[in-house]
Amino acid sequence: MQSYIEKGGLKRHILIVDDELINREILGNLLSEDYEVHYAENGIQALQVLRESECIFSLILLDLLMPVMDGFQLIEKLKADEKLRTIPVIVMTSEADAEVKSIKLGAADFITKPYDMPEVILARCERTIELQEDKTIILAAEKDHLTGLYTKDFFAEYIRQIEKYTPGKKMDIMVVNIDHFHLINELYGRREGDKALKCIADTLSRIYADIEGIRCRTEADYFYVYSESRSDYDNILKTLLDELAKCLTSAHIRLRMGVYSDADKALTVENWLDRAKTACDRIRGDHSRHIAYYNKDFYERSKYQEKLIHDIDDAIANRDLIVFYQPKYGIQGDVPVLRSAEALIRWKHPELGMISPGDFIPLFESNGLIQKLDRYVWKEAARQIGEWKKNYSLSVPVSVNVSRMDIYYPRLRDNFHELLDENGLETSELMLEITESAYADNAEQLVNVIEALRNDGFVIEMDDFGSGYSSLNMLTTIPIDALKMDMKFIRNMQKDEKSMKLVELVMDIAKFLQVPVIAEGVETEEQLHILKNMGCDIIQGYYFSKPVPAEDFKTFIEKELSRQN
Ligand code: C2E
Ligand code: CA
Ligand code: CA
């Protein structure tokens, strides 16, 4: 490939190997106008020049009969050398029968001694170099330089050809991708990155050695395999991970795999590759899944999600997004006391009906639309708190959910302050729930933003606490005002001793941090009693109420007012 770089005017390098000075001089004179000429007197010397010189040789002109190492031996050595085997060799000989032998060994051409027709010699050299360079260019486009796998275009083309010959066979497309590959390059260096890529390519080649199929690499770290249908993708993934662990010295790698099995012959090869990739990308960031299969359900799901993304602006404009409120009660007194509420979004879609946040929140979190949606909810909730405050002269603080991405919104603080001003609220009345997973970044910015909000007087609740992202060490460095215990603790609490101990542990952590605990997902009286005895302060759950529209929430406010009087 590199010889092509030189094409723009630079002279190519030629090595003349001949033991006779006179021959070297004749040829050298003939070629030196067009080429950079180097010389060697025998095979050994030639190898030395080729290996030690900085330049890239485009051609070797080789005499066959030489002392020390003759021409035949040199050709054999060249062909066995990874780096040198592609340099074309023209054999110079006076014996007709040597020609056959040298061509068989892999020589590109031959020139007969004595050198009586200079034009012919020049033309043959030029043509041999050109042929070799064209071949290199084709190979360069066909094979990926680093791993030796096919490039995507050739891969697709070969699939089409194979399909022509075996049209009915069940075939799969599988794709493997490295999670956060750029980080591996950045943290451990490109060499480690390259090592990982080569390791994956080699392992795939080994796994698929005896199976009909081909492989390619594209977009740096996507590896595609086209093969007969199979069902052992778990094993393949495991083998890849095991091999990577052996290959790499420092980096730890996570892989994602997407499989489109029994590819639909009515679709194009590009469609097949897209489907495998879509499956693979769907589990990006989902640490619980490593393999995703493309199937019809999934296709329907993608279409559904596309629709939601498309409709979000209309939903905001038409107020199809409705904020529900779920009460939180203080339970340590004789009777429960209404303390606050959580704002939870619902989507009343004109065609699809009521959509639960589980269907669109993760989607919008993955593409950034969550910021738009959250700001809508905050605005709506703030307006509602103001309205209740005015109508009942009772303050019911409402907590809103703040996504990880919201933290990085530069106007976050200004936005909250504007909402307070517009609705005549205190900072303590708009509380902020930030999910534990957002803290996992532990970015300085996150800590700074939260610190600033707390200094302003906002109450910060760590949502989904215990879902597994924070360490104790982290908890002591980040500022929070309350822990919202993850719902699964409550769900499992009565199942066994160990789960109960976990709830106690969360309570202990909160005590250590000197913050109250909010238990979410409390559904039964029994759960409430257990939690109360453990010292849990606040409870939110179906036991008191499901999230309800603002209109219905009035009942809770009125009940609270009559309790107070
Ligand atoms: P979350 O913040 O942990 O909210 C609590 C979820 O638990 C709510 O589900 C609530 O309806 C449900 N829940 C409450 N009590 C019980 C109970 O006793 N039993 C059971 N089984 N479930 C209970 P929902 O409203 O479906 O929300 C799901 C998640 O969606 C929320 O989890 C939150 O992460 C997200 N979400 C909802 N609204 C918003 C929003 O406005 N912005 C953002 N960023 N996320 C939101
Ligand atoms: Ca929440
Ligand atoms: Ca929660």
Side-chain angles (χ1 to χ4, degrees), residues 286-515:
D286 177 351
H287 286 237
S288 64
R289 294 187 57 191
H290 307 287
I291 303 185
Y293 291 86
Y294 186 97
N295 53 31
K296 203 158 182 314
D297 294 352
F298 171 54
Y299 176 69
E300 295 300 329
R301 199 176 156 73
S302 316
K303 294 245 323 204
Y304 177 71
Q305 293 189 331
E306 262 166 43
K307 180 160 179 59
L308 297 185
I309 291 169
H310 175 264
D311 292 351
I312 180 75
D313 285 329
D314 281 352
I316 289 177
N318 304 336
R319 306 183 64 81
D320 293 335
L321 291 166
I322 306 160
V323 181
F324 276 37
Y325 298 87
Q326 187 176 33
K328 299 183 190 176
Y329 281 90
I331 55 161
Q332 285 302 332
D334 295 337
V335 286
V337 178
L338 177 65
R339 294 281 289 272
S340 59
E342 176 175 4
L344 291 157
I345 189 81
R346 299 288 177 268
W347 189 345
K348 200 172 171 185
H349 196 282
E351 297 152 55
L352 305 169
M354 208 66 156
I355 311 174
S356 101
D359 282 348
F360 58 87
I361 296 284
L363 172 68
F364 292 161
E365 273 173 345
S366 70
N367 62 19
L369 283 172
I370 191 72
Q371 295 200 11
K372 210 185 247 187
L373 184 134
D374 276 342
R375 266 176 260 158
Y376 172 86
V377 175
W378 302 340
K379 192 175 162 87
E380 191 54 30
R383 194 197 52 72
Q384 190 62 61
I385 309 168
E387 192 182 304
W388 285 331
K389 196 173 170 179
K390 201 168 82 219
N391 294 351
Y392 293 101
S393 50
L394 173 79
S395 165
V396 185
V398 171
S399 58
V400 291
N401 288 288
V402 177
S403 293
R404 194 186 142 271
M405 238 178 228
D406 297 327
I407 306 279
Y408 303 97
Y409 171 48
R411 291 200 70 255
L412 185 74
R413 255 174 92 198
D414 295 342
N415 191 329
F416 285 134
H417 283 288
E418 282 160 18
L419 291 177
L420 299 184
D421 293 346
E422 281 164 24
N423 297 286
L425 308 180
E426 309 288 326
T427 40
S428 61
E429 290 173 296
L430 185 68
M431 305 190 291
L432 311 176
E433 293 191 11
I434 303 176
T435 179
E436 187 190 47
S437 58
Y439 292 85
D441 299 354
N442 203 10
E444 222 177 286
Q445 180 163 11
L446 179 110
V447 176
N448 291 343
V449 170
I450 295 178
E451 199 100 73
L453 287 167
R454 280 187 85 222
N455 287 339
D456 292 347
F458 288 102
V459 174
I460 310 289
E461 297 176 355
M462 187 191 260
D463 204 355
D464 311 319
F465 177 71
S467 49
Y469 288 93
S470 44
S471 61
L472 268 179
N473 185 32
M474 189 178 111
L475 281 173
T476 53
T477 57
I478 50 172
I480 39 168
D481 299 293
L483 289 186
K484 263 192 112 169
M485 187 167 15
D486 196 58
M487 244 185 293
K488 71 167 186 288
F489 287 102
I490 311 298
R491 207 173 297 146
N492 298 331
M493 187 169 66
Q494 285 151 292
K495 283 192 188 144
D496 54 54
E497 184 91 358
K498 207 174 125 206
S499 305
M500 188 68 89
K501 279 266 180 313
L502 276 178
V503 178
E504 282 167 17
L505 186 67
V506 172
M507 302 298 304
D508 284 344
I509 291 171
K511 208 179 289 168
F512 171 74
L513 298 173
Q514 298 181 306
V515 295

Side-chain angles (χ1 to χ4, degrees), residues 180-196:
H180 301 301
F181 179 61
H182 67 105
L183 281 184
I184 291 158
N185 278 334
E186 278 158 32
L187 294 174
Y188 305 101
R190 275 197 83 90
R191 277 178 84 184
E192 190 81 348
D194 284 355
K195 240 201 227 165

Side-chain angles (χ1 to χ4, degrees), residues 225-251:
V225 178
Y226 161 80
S227 77
E228 292 169 34
S229 270
R230 55 196 295 159
S231 56
D232 60 344
Y233 287 106
D234 288 311
N235 288 337
I236 294 180
L237 187 66
K238 192 176 171 303
T239 310
L240 285 169
L241 289 169
D242 289 348
E243 290 302 317
L244 279 168
K246 274 188 243 163
C247 283
L248 301 180
T249 37
S250 36

Side-chain angles (χ1 to χ4, degrees), residues 263-268 271-272:
D264 181 350
K265 308 283 180 184
L267 298 171
T268 65
N271 291 148
W272 296 354

